[in-house]
Amino acid sequence: MKEDQDPQLPSFDFKSFMVDKVNAVNQALDSAVPLRDPVKIHEAMRYSLLAGGKRVRPVLCLAACDLVGGKESMVMPAAYALEMIHTMSLVHDDLPCMDNDDLRRGKPTNHKVYGEDIAVLAGDALLAFSFEHIAVSTVGVTPDRIVRAIGELAKSIGAEGLAAGQVVDITSDGLTNVGLDHLEFIHVHKTAPLLEAAAVLGAILGGGHDEDVEKLRKFARNIGLLFQVVDDILDVTKSSKELGKTAGKDLVADKVTYPKLMGINKSKEFAEKLKSDALELLQGFDPEKSAPLIALANYIAYRQN
């Protein structure tokens, strides 16, 4: 697939935009979780939190806030909290009782460095601190919007969101009668929820109207599913070195994936449709302010790792 260029937005430099936002996020995360007593737990939290990564969720949150007319400062704590929760999900997902992975972002996984017990606690601590950070550090936003945002975030990772997707994913390994509806349920609840929460929190805390919040919710759900379809494709087409994590793991574990059910070509076609549907939802917004979200959707569609 070749990356699209929007003829209406020739001047938008997505690479510079991402570099600026990712650097700001990394610096803020470094400050938010300093190394203090007890040292071991904070070391483990920082090891995974600061290990790099695309920072798609916080960037999406910041872009959604800007799209509805909010100031970046209003949503900064939520953006960083989303990355803390995402990191927690990766730390726990890599554990032997879950996906049992030894490599993440080109480095040994958390439990390989600190042990399973500390890895579990590091994830727990990141999850708890994410909510504390939103509640304590958000400024310039009315209390009702902060409470609404916290409620949205909690729902996205609980038994109706991330946890639901993880459970169904785990219990689906080795099943032979899994269809596309079942697979979509897994990823709408496993991969999409935090991306959806990122867009929704950005819109809520940025002062967006309900109609804008729902459009961004649907946009993020599409790119969340798109993210997983592309992930499945890359798992069978790229090497571990290229991905920075173990390649071919889904095939070895006999996991249900889009290429397994649809084949590579149909999976790529589905990815294109998800991207197109997502971009359609941005019509009607200020083209200049929607440019980062358009570029982000293209980035997710055409990423190589």
Side-chain angles (χ1 to χ4, degrees):
M1 293 185 287
K2 294 182 179 180
E3 188 165 350
D4 292 346
Q5 293 290 330
D6 191 324
Q8 294 181 319
L9 302 165
S11 62
F12 184 71
D13 187 346
F14 181 63
K15 185 175 181 180
S16 295
F17 171 83
M18 285 296 291
V19 168
D20 289 345
K21 298 301 182 187
V22 168
N23 284 340
V25 169
N26 288 340
Q27 290 172 18
L29 290 172
D30 189 18
S31 300
V33 186
L35 192 59
R36 58 174 182 248
D37 288 332
V39 172
K40 181 67 74 174
I41 186 70
H42 288 94
E43 272 186 0
M45 292 164 70
R46 287 171 58 83
Y47 176 81
S48 293
L49 188 63
L50 304 177
K54 304 172 187 69
R55 308 306 195 200
V56 169
R57 290 152 193 84
V59 171
L60 174 57
C61 188
L62 295 170
C65 177
D66 183 60
L67 184 68
V68 300
K71 297 178 181 178
E72 196 170 89
S73 60
M74 302 164 75
V75 79
M76 281 289 192
Y80 308 148
L82 285 156
E83 194 64 20
M84 293 176 198
I85 294 175
H86 176 56
T87 300
M88 171 280 296
S89 74
L90 299 181
V91 171
H92 285 179
D93 203 40
D94 290 335
L95 289 166
C97 63
M98 299 280 281
D99 269 8
N100 191 24
D101 216 330
D102 298 341
L103 194 66
R104 173 71 66 178
R105 292 171 175 167
K107 299 171 64 177
T109 46
N110 198 291
H111 68 275
K112 285 294 179 180
V113 177
Y114 295 98
E116 293 176 38
D117 47 3
I118 299 299
V120 170
L121 292 169
D124 292 345
L126 284 168
L127 177 60
F129 184 56
S130 66
F131 286 96
E132 177 188 341
H133 196 53
I134 295 175
V136 172
S137 301
T138 303
V139 294
V141 181
T142 58
D144 62 311
R145 284 187 177 267
I146 296 174
V147 171
R148 183 181 170 191
I150 289 173
E152 286 276 359
L153 184 56
K155 186 175 181 179
S156 75
I157 60 176
E160 295 181 38
L162 178 62
Q166 285 279 28
V167 168
V168 177
D169 188 24
I170 290 169
T171 56
S172 297
D173 286 357
L175 295 182
T176 57
N177 60 341
V178 174
L180 286 172
D181 288 345
H182 184 96
L183 185 58
E184 183 168 320
F185 177 92
I186 291 173
H187 296 309
V188 164
H189 291 79
K190 180 184 175 184
T191 306
L194 269 185
L195 288 161
E196 189 175 319
V200 168
L201 264 62
I204 291 173
L205 296 172
H209 299 297
D210 288 350
E211 183 181 353
D212 293 338
V213 171
E214 292 311 310
K215 280 185 180 179
L216 283 165
R217 186 193 302 278
K218 292 174 183 176
F219 166 81
R221 186 170 295 179
N222 274 299
I223 66 168
L225 195 52
L226 170 64
F227 194 98
Q228 186 60 51
V229 175
V230 172
D231 221 41
D232 285 356
I233 293 168
L234 293 175
D235 187 69
V236 294
T237 59
K238 298 291 181 180
S239 68
S240 296
K241 184 177 180 180
E242 289 172 309
L243 294 178
K245 60 182 180 179
T246 309
K249 185 165 58 70
D250 292 342
L251 190 62
V252 172
D254 199 25
K255 290 181 77 71
V256 183
T257 66
Y258 283 96
K260 182 178 179 180
L261 293 183
M262 304 173 71
I264 294 291
N265 290 335
K266 289 290 185 183
S267 295
K268 288 181 177 179
E269 289 175 13
F270 184 43
E272 276 295 326
K273 183 180 186 305
L274 288 168
K275 189 203 73 170
S276 297
D277 290 348
L279 296 183
E280 191 174 329
L281 288 160
L282 297 178
Q283 293 179 6
F285 287 107
D286 181 337
E288 187 175 340
K289 288 191 172 184
S290 64
L293 293 172
I294 292 170
L296 186 61
N298 281 323
Y299 166 74
I300 289 172
Y302 306 120
R303 66 194 176 92
Q304 297 300 307
N305 59 40

